[in-house]
Amino acid sequence: MTEEQKRLRRVCFTGHRPEKLDIREKEVKNRLKKAIQEAVNNGYTTFISGMARGVDMWAAELVLEERKSNADIKLICASPYEGFEKSWSFAEKHRYTSIMKKADYIKYVCEHYSRQCFQIRNVWMVDHSNLVIAAYSGESGGTRNTIHYANSKKIKIYNILEQQDD
């Protein structure tokens, strides 16, 4: 399979940190789960998480859960740099490490921290995907930048915050 064929079956995630979301974690996870299952039903098999706190890690955990019943599902962890999680709480570091250990592939996008490393990671994820599953409220920041970049590249965006509850 060529790189372009692989890209066509890949999804990446973007979303605000938990403290910036207007809906509860449980609801975000429910919507992420639904979006992931819909993507799988549409032929997507590889999911890329940027491994930030909140949406990225929740999505990665849901992908790992989905993989238990579907061996075709793969998780790529695209961390901005090695040691990204060092300043986090013990619980968040443990969660991050646990996900990384279960990933099918780990990509450290930058060699070390820089002010641009998060945007470089986001560009890498979009460039390697055909769909972005987003938790985007319209607020400025990295999620907005990722959405704008995906739009400029004509990558499809599924914003779970625009979806209605069933």
Side-chain angles (χ1 to χ4, degrees), residues 12-78:
C12 69
F13 299 99
T14 190
H16 302 294
R17 302 294 174 275
E19 57 274 10
K20 287 178 125 184
L21 292 168
D22 291 335
I23 62 175
R24 290 192 293 276
E25 178 179 335
K26 183 178 181 190
E27 182 56 32
V28 174
K29 287 180 178 178
N30 287 339
R31 292 181 188 196
L32 281 170
K33 183 174 183 172
K34 182 179 172 190
I36 290 165
Q37 289 171 338
E38 197 173 303
V40 169
N41 291 341
N42 288 323
Y44 291 96
T45 55
T46 303
F47 296 82
I48 305 172
S49 171
M51 295 303 293
R53 292 183 311 102
V55 171
D56 288 3
M57 289 206 301
W58 298 336
E61 289 168 336
L62 290 165
V63 168
L64 291 170
E65 194 60 36
E66 187 74 24
R67 188 177 72 181
K68 289 178 182 176
S69 60
N70 184 341
D72 292 335
I73 302 298
K74 304 287 182 246
L75 175 65
I76 296 173
C77 291

Side-chain angles (χ1 to χ4, degrees), residues 75-120:
L75 175 65
I76 296 173
C77 291
S79 186
Y81 59 94
E82 201 163 357
F84 168 52
E85 78 292 358
K86 293 291 187 235
S87 66
W88 296 355
S89 71
F90 176 81
E92 288 173 327
K93 283 186 215 174
H94 184 312
R95 193 175 202 173
Y96 175 93
T97 303
S98 175
I99 294 166
M100 295 287 272
K101 285 179 182 174
K102 296 172 188 163
D104 295 285
Y105 181 74
I106 295 171
K107 170 72 176 175
Y108 292 106
V109 180
C110 297
E111 286 186 33
H112 48 78
Y113 172 79
S114 70
R115 284 184 25 191
Q116 300 84 21
C117 69
F118 303 106
Q119 185 60 26
I120 293 167

Side-chain angles (χ1 to χ4, degrees), residues 7 10-14 48 119-132 145-157:
R7 187 189 69 77
R10 288 184 183 152
V11 177
C12 69
F13 299 99
T14 190
I48 305 172
Q119 185 60 26
I120 293 167
R121 177 219 33 216
N122 296 343
V123 166
W124 185 90
M125 292 192 312
V126 170
D127 285 347
H128 289 84
S129 299
N130 191 42
L131 172 66
V132 176
N145 295 343
T146 304
I147 295 292
H148 286 303
Y149 182 71
N151 279 326
S152 78
K153 293 299 208 172
K154 310 268 190 278
I155 303 294
K156 292 174 277 207
I157 298 164

